[in-house]
């Protein structure tokens, strides 16, 4: 963790207490259940459909399957993400009241603020996670002594967590900045995701795209490992083939 991230953490704990670390927890959990279930559930059927259409399940098909599953899932759940970000900025807000406030002041379209970058980010995240995990498993089974089981799933998910963090950290930062900006089109700082990324790089440098990168990996790394290990176990218990 960088010195700046440590300073922000300590400042939050001092000024707002431990509760501030869990602001927006309810919508975050709601989105995780909906988004996580959709993207994982859609990956295999999409891959099978692409296999039927193109006669192949190579790495490009896996990437395309993950990208579709992630983009479609986040398009449906983006309003919950917007509410989560707003609640994190307003500790006293109530989720339903916040939704009404957003719609009344900014229109229903405000619930889909940042949906473009969010879909790109979700497509990149799901594609990088699932395709990397899928390929890592195949390569490890082929080139090492690892067999289907916990250790193979753990090693593959660690690789997937690292790759997905490197790919999605810049998109996460851009998505958050777009969601936080308010006002009319003429007064907004950023017009779209590309404009946001361009202004950040120009004013703050390329490394600014990875601000909070350690914190992202601290969340995404363990999340990826837990997700895939549990998913594989549940698939086994349900009598389904492994991913």
């Amino acid at each position: 963790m960088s010195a700046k991230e440590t300073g922000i953490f300590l400042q939050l704990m001092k000024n707002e207490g431990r509760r501030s670390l869990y602001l927006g927890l309810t919508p975050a959990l709601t989105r995780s259940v909906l988004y996580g279930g959709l993207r994982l559930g859609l990956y295999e059927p999409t891959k099978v459909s692409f296999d039927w259409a193109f006669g192949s399940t190579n790495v490009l098909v896996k990437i395309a399957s993950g990208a579709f599953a992630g983009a479609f899932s986040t398009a449906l759940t983006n309003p919950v993400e917007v509410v989560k970000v707003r609640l994190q900025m307003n500790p006293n807000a109530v989720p339903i009241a916040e939704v009404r406030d957003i719609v009344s002041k900014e229109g229903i379209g405000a619930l889909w603020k940042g949906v473009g970058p969010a879909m790109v980010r979700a497509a990149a995240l799901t594609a990088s996670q699932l395709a990397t995990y899928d390929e890592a498993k195949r390569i490890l089974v082929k080139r090492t002594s690892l067999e289907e089981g916990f250790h193979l799933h753990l090693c593959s998910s660690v690789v997937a967590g690292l790759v997905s963090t490197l790919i999605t950290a810049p998109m996460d930062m851009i998505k958050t900045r777009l969601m936080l900006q308010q006002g009319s089109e003429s007064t907004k700082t950023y017009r779209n995701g590309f404009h946001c990324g361009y202004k950040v790089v120009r004013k703050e440098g390329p490394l600014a795209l990875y601000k909070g990168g350690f914190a992202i990996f601290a969340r995404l790394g363990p999340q990826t490992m837990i997700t895939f290990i549990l998913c594989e176990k549940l698939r086994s218990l349900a009598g389904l083939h492994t991913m």
Side-chain angles (χ1 to χ4, degrees), residues 207-221:
L207 290 180
L209 294 173
Y210 285 92
K211 280 184 176 179
F214 181 87
I216 292 171
F217 178 72
R219 177 186 64 83
L220 191 57

Side-chain angles (χ1 to χ4, degrees), residues 198-215:
Y198 169 75
K199 291 195 74 171
V200 169
V201 171
R202 186 174 180 180
K203 291 184 177 180
E204 305 171 45
L207 290 180
L209 294 173
Y210 285 92
K211 280 184 176 179
F214 181 87

Side-chain angles (χ1 to χ4, degrees), residues 32-91:
S32 292
V33 171
L34 297 174
Y35 167 69
L38 280 170
R39 74 190 188 96
L40 289 173
L42 287 172
Y43 176 70
E44 286 292 328
T46 304
K47 192 169 68 170
V48 170
S49 299
F50 283 177
D51 182 27
W52 174 80
F54 303 108
S56 173
T57 55
N58 61 29
V59 67
L60 294 178
V61 169
K62 293 173 183 177
I63 291 172
S65 301
F68 172 79
F72 182 77
S73 300
T74 206
L76 294 179
T77 59
N78 195 76
V80 186
E81 178 74 2
V82 171
V83 174
K84 181 199 76 173
V85 172
R86 296 293 181 90
L87 289 177
Q88 288 172 335
M89 302 301 294
N90 185 2

Side-chain angles (χ1 to χ4, degrees), residues 80-217:
V80 186
E81 178 74 2
V82 171
V83 174
K84 181 199 76 173
V85 172
R86 296 293 181 90
L87 289 177
Q88 288 172 335
M89 302 301 294
N90 185 2
N92 300 315
V94 178
I96 297 299
E98 188 67 21
V99 171
R100 291 173 181 166
D101 189 54
I102 292 171
V103 173
S104 64
K105 291 182 178 179
E106 304 173 52
I108 194 168
L111 294 174
W112 275 270
K113 273 187 175 181
V115 70
M119 289 178 68
V120 173
R121 187 258 184 194
L125 170 64
T126 307
S128 60
Q129 273 187 332
L130 293 173
T132 301
Y133 178 79
D134 220 341
E135 279 296 293
K137 274 186 65 178
R138 184 185 68 80
I139 293 170
L140 287 171
V141 167
K142 183 178 179 180
R143 300 187 180 182
T144 71
S145 60
L146 288 173
E147 297 180 351
E148 187 64 43
F150 174 78
H151 292 98
L152 175 63
H153 302 159
L154 178 62
C155 292
S156 302
S157 60
V158 168
V159 175
L162 285 168
V163 172
S164 57
T165 299
L166 289 172
I167 291 175
T168 61
M171 299 176 189
D172 220 19
M173 187 274 295
I174 290 171
K175 179 197 69 172
T176 301
R177 291 203 181 190
L178 287 174
M179 285 182 173
L180 288 175
Q181 70 174 350
Q182 300 183 27
S184 63
E185 291 296 324
S186 60
T187 59
K188 287 180 179 178
T189 305
Y190 310 117
R191 294 193 296 271
N192 52 51
F194 292 109
H195 184 238
C196 178
Y198 169 75
K199 291 195 74 171
V200 169
V201 171
R202 186 174 180 180
K203 291 184 177 180
E204 305 171 45
L207 290 180
L209 294 173
Y210 285 92
K211 280 184 176 179
F214 181 87
I216 292 171
F217 178 72

